[in-house]
Amino acid sequence: MAILKIARMGHPALRRRAEEVADPEAPEIRRLVHDMIETMADAQGLGLAAPQIHIPKRVVVFHAPDGDADRKTGDPEEWKPTVLINPTIEPLSDEMAYGWEGCLSVPGLRGEVPRHVSIRYRGLAPDGRTIDRAASGLHARVAQHECDHLDGILYPMRMTDLSRLVFESEFHRVVEEAEPETADV
Ligand code: NI
């Protein structure tokens, strides 16, 4: 197992369409998944896609912020990330919502991105079992962000207002500015 280098925006590895995995139970896929989980944990990320570590395969790992079927305990250290091989996403409604995202391949920045509020995602787990889940909110947002990486799409490419692309160090100013609009005072 290894902690791998994460490609940053501008590297061609992030812009390619990744290939389907022929055998999800192959030993090299098991190793890849372990390395991705280790790399994600080291970088303190919420999710990671294989192209981010220069592997052009359709594999993503992420922590489902709610309703993670693999989440069995209240201790975050023991939460298992969701692993999806050859995932597909289907929107469950036309409703979109804006939310703030960051990306390990776009360090130091955050942007406000429109995403489907409610989706269904399907894929294979490393043991060959099918994962088929409905997700909404942050869970749906993270899944869409990770699966976009498999098609060479980074979150700034989804943004509709680039004035909402900000440095993390300035983020508190944007949030403070937005708060009076959302708070009923
Ligand atoms: Ni990302």
Side-chain angles (χ1 to χ4, degrees):
M1 286 199 258
I3 292 166
L4 301 173
K5 190 177 179 192
I6 298 174
R8 303 203 299 174
M9 184 165 63
H11 196 292
L14 295 169
R15 295 301 323 282
R16 287 194 285 260
R17 187 188 183 277
E19 295 161 9
E20 266 77 18
V21 173
D23 178 7
E25 298 178 59
E28 67 261 27
I29 297 301
R30 195 172 301 265
R31 271 197 301 276
L32 169 64
V33 166
H34 281 144
D35 287 347
M36 286 174 66
I37 291 172
E38 211 167 58
T39 302
M40 175 176 71
D42 178 69
Q44 299 183 308
L46 198 58
L48 191 72
Q52 291 182 277
I53 51 164
H54 305 261
I55 305 290
K57 300 273 187 206
R58 300 187 83 76
V59 180
V60 300
V61 300
F62 59 88
H63 287 285
D66 60 355
D68 188 335
D70 294 327
R71 182 175 293 179
K72 294 186 175 65
T73 72
D75 179 0
E77 294 289 314
E78 293 180 24
W79 292 350
K80 281 188 187 168
T82 293
V83 179
L84 287 180
I85 298 167
N86 300 338
T88 59
I89 286 185
E90 173 194 344
L92 291 179
S93 79
D94 291 335
E95 193 187 348
M96 306 287 285
Y98 284 83
W100 289 93
E101 297 183 16
C103 180
L104 294 173
S105 294
V106 191
L109 292 174
R110 289 194 190 183
E112 200 178 35
V113 186
R115 298 284 185 189
H116 294 287
V117 170
S118 159
I119 62 166
R120 176 182 185 183
Y121 63 74
R122 275 172 277 197
L124 295 171
D127 61 5
R129 158 181 73 95
T130 298
I131 294 171
D132 184 342
R133 286 186 201 152
S136 59
L138 184 57
H139 184 173
R141 176 171 296 281
V142 171
Q144 288 170 88
H145 177 119
E146 295 313 327
C147 289
D148 263 358
H149 277 298
L150 304 182
D151 293 325
I153 298 169
L154 298 171
Y155 79 76
M157 298 162 65
R158 293 281 190 198
M159 292 180 65
T160 54
D161 179 357
L162 287 176
S163 75
R164 306 294 274 175
L165 184 63
V166 302
F167 284 102
E168 269 174 14
S169 55
E170 309 302 321
F171 183 60
H172 65 284
R173 300 177 200 271
V174 183
V175 173
E176 268 180 10
E177 181 190 285
E179 264 176 358
E181 291 170 25
T182 52
D184 189 12
V185 291

